[in-house]
Amino acid sequence: MRRALLTLVPLLAVLIVSAREPAAPAAISPAARDRGVYHLATNAETRWVPFDLTPGNQIRFRMQLDGRDVTAILDTGVSYTLLAKASPAVDTAKLVAGGSATAIGGSIALGWMPTRSIAVGGLARTGGGVTVADLPAIATGSASAVDLLVGADMMAGYALDIDYAAHRFRLLRSGRLPFKGETASLRVSAERSVYESAITLGDRRLAPVVVDTGDGSSITVTAPGWAAASLAVPSTTAISFGLAGPAISGLAIVPDIHVGNMVARWSEVRIEPAGGFSQSIGVAGRIGSGFLQNYRVLLDPGARRMVLSRGPKADTQPLRSTSGLLVGVEPNRLKVLHVMRGGPAAASGWKDGDLICTIDTVPIPADYATSPIAFWSAGAPGRVVRLGLCDGTTRALTLARFY
């Protein structure tokens, strides 16, 4: 079954920490940071790490930081592993200024905290440190925040094998090829210190694109890249959330995208506005976890390759909203985060911030994100859904296909 919130409630962290020079003399620049010493266990291939996918499609798991169990997200779009400022793992006595970073919505201030040890699966690091910043729960689309984003600094020296179908991953020696699949280029850029590849959209090759396991979206491209592809497909709008706040983008579903020697069918594409986040960091777009989860994935920048093996979800059409409402889950209610351009909700006067307490008279359940009731927003065209607002009024919404 497709995840109910894959397309319809994209509370997605698009978090690329692009290290800048320090904002003040007291800040520790990336070049001055202790990198730590890494060790990959001899039995690393057997050290699978189980994970679950957040409602925002990120890989969430448990690991250890300074001997403490923490919750983490695997995020190849983050240059330096990032610790949430609110996490109990933060030692304020060790925290110093760490410069600034570029994230969706703007710039954010960073701290820097030295660490004794970090361990994930068969990989351990002694010494080194982590960046520290605000990391709100909305970045994962769930009610609970995580402690840590594990970034490229931890993983880039190894091959990362992500088995989405089995909800597990492991770290291997670079050069290993544990399964067969179709290949694409991959590197860690010197400019941004994140994983990068390329895609072909229409007849236009777009590069570099960030391979970002922390981005819950599928494919994201810049407005100039979308225009250059010259695709005659309808589009609407959507919203995403990053460390620096929300961002509105275009949204379309395209019949095929080339990633290396692989052709992916029916992919959801987000189109950033001119001057948006991707352009601001000098890339053509991103490949996110919403796309990667359709495959078993090997990311091995040391061997300059990404390997994709089709999973059971590959080449199936993604869910499309037929309501035109993108909602966030709050206790006992839904909050309208975005009214999609050209959809039924826009035509009937819905506004951002409207609060929904019932769907066809059924109260919003605590497990809404994984409940079958969440599929109302992608129901059959022509169906009439009665949405009870929290002020006691009821609105009828007729579902329709509009992109």
Side-chain angles (χ1 to χ4, degrees), residues 140-167:
T140 66
S142 59
S144 301
V146 297
D147 296 290
L148 200 68
L149 303 179
V150 178
D153 60 325
M154 280 289 295
M155 298 177 287
Y158 308 93
L160 174 61
D161 179 5
I162 308 174
D163 187 348
Y164 278 97
H167 282 207

Side-chain angles (χ1 to χ4, degrees), residues 291-386:
F291 177 87
L292 297 172
Q293 69 176 317
N294 296 319
Y295 306 88
R296 183 169 174 181
V297 179
L298 184 74
L299 302 177
D300 189 355
R304 310 284 290 186
R305 69 187 174 199
M306 171 169 59
V307 183
L308 301 169
S309 177
R310 294 175 189 273
K313 296 180 182 179
D315 298 333
T316 58
Q317 291 214 28
L319 284 173
R320 298 175 193 244
S321 174
T322 50
S323 67
L325 288 176
L326 297 179
V327 298
V329 184
E330 297 185 351
N332 304 316
R333 64 187 188 181
L334 305 176
K335 182 178 181 179
V336 176
L337 301 176
H338 181 66
V339 180
M340 302 170 75
R341 184 186 65 218
S348 54
W350 285 80
K351 304 294 183 185
D352 295 356
D354 285 345
L355 299 174
I356 300 169
C357 279
T358 65
I359 299 168
D360 288 333
T361 73
V362 177
I364 305 303
D367 63 346
Y368 174 85
T370 55
S371 168
I373 196 174
F375 285 93
W376 69 271
S377 193
R383 176 188 169 189
V384 178
V385 183
R386 297 185 63 80

Side-chain angles (χ1 to χ4, degrees), residues 107-178:
S107 179
I108 60 170
L110 297 176
W112 173 257
M113 189 187 84
T115 56
R116 298 188 307 275
S117 64
I118 293 182
V120 51
L123 179 65
R125 186 184 78 187
T126 56
V130 293
T131 55
V132 180
D134 288 325
L135 184 58
I138 199 169
T140 66
S142 59
S144 301
V146 297
D147 296 290
L148 200 68
L149 303 179
V150 178
D153 60 325
M154 280 289 295
M155 298 177 287
Y158 308 93
L160 174 61
D161 179 5
I162 308 174
D163 187 348
Y164 278 97
H167 282 207
R168 61 182 188 171
F169 72 87
R170 59 182 174 173
L171 288 154
L172 311 172
R173 296 188 319 276
S174 179
R176 288 281 291 113
L177 189 62

Side-chain angles (χ1 to χ4, degrees), residues 14 16 20 100-109 242-247 276-277 280-281:
V14 184
I16 298 179
R20 297 176 177 173
S100 62
T102 302
I104 276 202
S107 179
I108 60 170
L243 279 183
F277 175 65
S280 75
I281 63 169

